[in-house]
Amino acid sequence: VDGATPLVRFPAVAALARIRLRRGDPDAASLLAAQKLIRRMPVGESVVDAILTLVRCARPGEPEATETVNRSVAWGPGPRAAQALMMAVRAKAVLEQRLVPSVADVVALARPTLKHRMALTFAAKAEGQTVEAVIDGLVAHAAEHEAVA
């Protein structure tokens, strides 16, 4: 259908801008209110335990660390990773219109929250291991120990 008139005509750039403005992007006050709401959201003990277990298990040398972590991870996530994961699970719950986050949220957000807060050893990289695979193993390990189910 070369040279044919398109079936759908897309709005011009100016029209798209007006549509976006009509929808109403959040202002600073709205964003601050959302942040405050998320920070005040209650979190169950099982979610807190799941977050702390995952973060502790991901640090080499910790008593909770798995053999894989001790062998393959050069440095693991710190306390701010636990804080970031806590905020992420709260935000996910709000976005999904739930009143509280769940352990399933911790599982879903473990990879994106922890992967840039960990580094593999040179040997682990040379063997083809990935941080994502290590995190997946940690989630499975924690599930076996009932912190993350």
Side-chain angles (χ1 to χ4, degrees), residues 2-26:
D2 293 330
T5 305
L7 296 175
V8 177
R9 297 196 74 98
F10 290 97
V13 173
L16 288 172
R18 283 193 304 277
I19 292 168
R20 182 172 178 219
L21 291 174
R22 220 178 308 133
R23 184 186 72 222
D25 288 338

Side-chain angles (χ1 to χ4, degrees), residues 43-93:
V43 177
E45 283 299 313
S46 62
V47 174
V48 173
D49 290 344
I51 290 170
L52 295 177
T53 298
L54 277 176
V55 171
R56 282 194 311 260
C57 286
R59 288 196 291 258
E62 290 286 327
E64 298 91 344
T66 64
E67 182 181 328
T68 300
V69 167
N70 284 327
R71 186 182 64 251
S72 304
V73 176
W75 49 267
R80 290 184 63 198
Q83 293 171 334
L85 190 50
M86 178 66 74
M87 293 300 290
V89 299
R90 286 174 166 163
K92 184 176 188 302

Side-chain angles (χ1 to χ4, degrees), residues 80-145:
R80 290 184 63 198
Q83 293 171 334
L85 190 50
M86 178 66 74
M87 293 300 290
V89 299
R90 286 174 166 163
K92 184 176 188 302
V94 166
L95 290 171
E96 294 177 356
Q97 300 178 356
R98 291 183 282 116
L99 297 176
V100 294
S102 68
V103 173
D105 296 326
V106 177
V107 171
L109 294 170
R111 253 190 189 205
T113 306
L114 298 178
K115 72 181 180 181
H116 66 283
R117 291 178 164 90
M118 300 170 66
L120 297 178
T121 63
F122 177 78
K125 289 180 191 176
E127 292 171 1
Q129 293 184 35
T130 64
V131 171
E132 292 85 355
V134 171
I135 293 169
D136 291 346
L138 290 172
V139 170
H141 173 77
E144 290 172 9
H145 293 85

